[in-house]
Amino acid sequence: KTSHSSKVTTIQQKDENFCLPGTGTDMYMNGFQVSGKSNNACVILFFESWVLDSRLKFAFGCLGCILLGVVVEGLLCFRRLLQSRKILRVLSSLTRRVSIIVLFGFNIAAGYLAMLVAMTYSVELFICMVIGLVIGHAIFNTSAPVGESVDPCCASQVIGTSNNSQGSDSSHM
């Protein structure tokens, strides 16, 4: 009976594990994976110490990805408003320029973090990242002109529409 009891306990513990205990991966190498399978490695999100090895940690990781998506779009909107002088008009030209450059750096960093989330190949984290970007776009950027890129790390800095259709065409140089 003791042998059977320990087998049942081991099987129950295995079934209750969110992922393989003691493992961690920052990228599933077999393409997109659904998390929460006890035979999958646990996802490492950004830092080695951020192992999403429980349902609670994974839920916080998902919420963090949604928030990151909103922040990416919010930074883009704030930078666009600052550059067009629609906000903080009292800033000197140099302070405004430095602020725009610093915001651009934060925008690029946040965009690359978004890319790293996608590169984990966790279905749930990827979907949460997309949801965050969509929510952020809905809140901050639905009236903004459409840029040439949908890549969150390299979103266009277009402020207004231009009548110059030759802007980026190198054949007219």
Side-chain angles (χ1 to χ4, degrees):
K1 243 181 178 180
T2 307
S3 173
H4 176 70
S5 175
S6 65
K7 285 181 183 179
V8 170
T9 304
T10 305
I11 291 170
Q12 286 173 344
Q13 286 173 345
K14 186 176 179 184
D15 289 340
E16 292 173 7
N17 290 332
F18 181 72
C19 54
L20 258 163
T23 65
T25 184
D26 54 2
M27 175 190 245
Y28 289 122
M29 300 306 285
N30 297 328
F32 278 101
Q33 300 289 317
V34 175
S35 299
K37 295 180 179 178
S38 60
N39 61 339
N40 277 354
C42 304
V43 175
I44 299 172
L45 188 60
F46 304 132
F47 303 103
E48 190 175 357
S49 60
W50 290 10
V51 179
L52 307 181
D53 57 1
S54 70
R55 291 191 194 317
L56 182 63
K57 288 180 183 179
F58 197 82
F60 277 115
C62 287
L63 291 174
C65 289
I66 292 171
L67 182 62
L68 177 61
V70 173
V71 166
V72 166
E73 289 289 319
L75 283 170
L76 181 62
C77 176
F78 186 64
R79 189 167 45 101
R80 185 181 293 121
L81 291 173
L82 190 61
Q83 193 166 4
S84 67
R85 298 183 184 274
K86 291 182 179 177
I87 59 170
L88 300 175
R89 293 179 180 160
V90 297
L91 290 180
S92 70
S93 182
L94 179 62
T95 304
R96 180 177 302 282
R97 186 172 178 85
V98 168
S99 299
I100 291 167
I101 291 168
V102 168
L103 283 172
F104 178 75
F106 283 134
N107 211 166
I108 293 296
Y112 276 112
L113 286 176
M115 179 189 67
L116 289 173
V117 169
M119 288 177 61
T120 65
Y121 287 98
S122 166
V123 170
E124 300 87 352
L125 293 178
F126 177 77
I127 290 171
C128 286
M129 190 73 250
V130 171
I131 288 170
L133 288 166
V134 169
I135 290 170
H137 184 77
I139 293 169
F140 298 112
N141 293 314
T142 52
S143 62
V146 177
E148 295 177 14
S149 173
V150 294
D151 187 351
C153 72
C154 307
S156 176
Q157 297 184 49
V158 175
I159 293 174
T161 57
S162 171
N163 293 334
N164 182 5
S165 61
Q166 300 173 4
S168 63
D169 188 0
S170 61
S171 65
H172 292 26
M173 293 184 148

